[in-house]
Amino acid sequence: KLILKLDISNFYGAIYTRLIPTIIMGYESAESEYRQSQKGENLSPTYEKYSKLDKLVRRMNLNQTNGLLAGPFVSRLISEALLTRIDKEIKSENIRFVRYVDDYEIFVFDDNTETTKSKIDLILRKYNADDPVVYDFALFGLGVSKEFEWYLTTKVKKFFHE
């Protein structure tokens, strides 16, 4: 029925490098290990490996933990991997969407637009808790006849459920 368009503003600049381990481990596991690292406790080999990558990336950016440099290929690779992790979480909420880089088109098939926005908001804020990501939602109706809207909605739903 509706398409929500979402653009994450300043995505590269908003990524915290300490989130790199979340790409493989998921947010909760990586966050738990991050807290352990702050206490000097033992860490998993996976976390240690991706923490080394975090340190290397920080060195490219004057040891800053916030923001990836926009030019290097490694920044594009890390940002795409992080967005893929975020995609996985959005899919787990049964939200249907397509994404190109940091722009999302979210398909809303019922009248729960606010619920869908809330779920996505929680996921995005989780991945940038220290400095919330600014993003914009734009809402687009299909603007077609009821019959065509039914046909299109049915086909899109079928596509996502196959």
Side-chain angles (χ1 to χ4, degrees):
K1 288 191 172 213
L2 298 169
I3 298 173
L4 284 172
K5 293 195 177 215
L6 176 135
D7 175 37
I8 302 173
S9 302
N10 188 28
F11 181 67
Y12 283 94
I15 294 174
Y16 275 83
T17 60
R18 71 176 178 86
L19 291 174
I20 291 172
T22 66
I23 294 166
I24 297 297
M25 302 178 71
Y27 181 83
E28 286 75 16
S29 296
E31 190 63 22
S32 172
E33 294 231 16
Y34 173 74
R35 280 188 244 111
Q36 287 177 302
S37 75
Q38 298 302 300
K39 297 175 189 173
E41 296 176 6
N42 290 335
L43 304 170
S44 72
T46 303
Y47 186 83
E48 286 181 348
K49 182 187 329 179
Y50 286 92
S51 288
K52 287 178 186 174
L53 178 58
D54 167 20
K55 288 176 184 152
L56 290 171
V57 170
R58 278 189 278 148
R59 281 190 203 148
M60 292 185 336
N61 198 13
L62 302 173
N63 260 352
Q64 293 184 27
T65 60
N66 62 320
L68 292 177
L69 295 176
F73 179 73
V74 72
S75 294
R76 289 181 22 212
L77 189 64
I78 290 168
S79 65
E80 179 60 31
L82 185 59
L83 281 167
T84 300
R85 171 55 75 172
I86 291 169
D87 292 350
K88 202 172 183 180
E89 289 200 30
I90 293 172
K91 284 179 188 171
S92 76
E93 293 290 337
N94 293 318
I95 296 171
R96 307 293 183 227
F97 64 93
V98 292
R99 176 178 60 82
Y100 178 75
V101 188
D102 67 343
D103 297 327
Y104 286 83
E105 289 189 3
I106 301 140
F107 305 103
V108 182
F109 298 107
D110 50 32
D111 294 328
N112 291 329
T113 306
E114 292 306 314
T115 303
T116 301
K117 284 170 134 180
S118 267
K119 288 177 180 179
I120 291 171
D121 182 61
L122 286 172
I123 292 166
L124 291 176
R125 288 186 188 281
K126 178 169 69 172
Y127 279 88
N128 202 343
D130 296 333
D131 186 18
V133 172
V134 176
Y135 52 88
D136 298 312
F137 278 110
L139 189 61
F140 294 89
L142 296 178
V144 294
S145 71
K146 289 286 183 197
E147 294 82 15
F148 187 67
E149 183 178 317
W150 173 86
Y151 174 78
L152 190 57
T153 303
T154 304
K155 292 297 182 190
V156 171
K157 275 185 181 178
K158 186 178 179 186
F159 173 78
F160 279 115
H161 288 93
E162 290 181 344

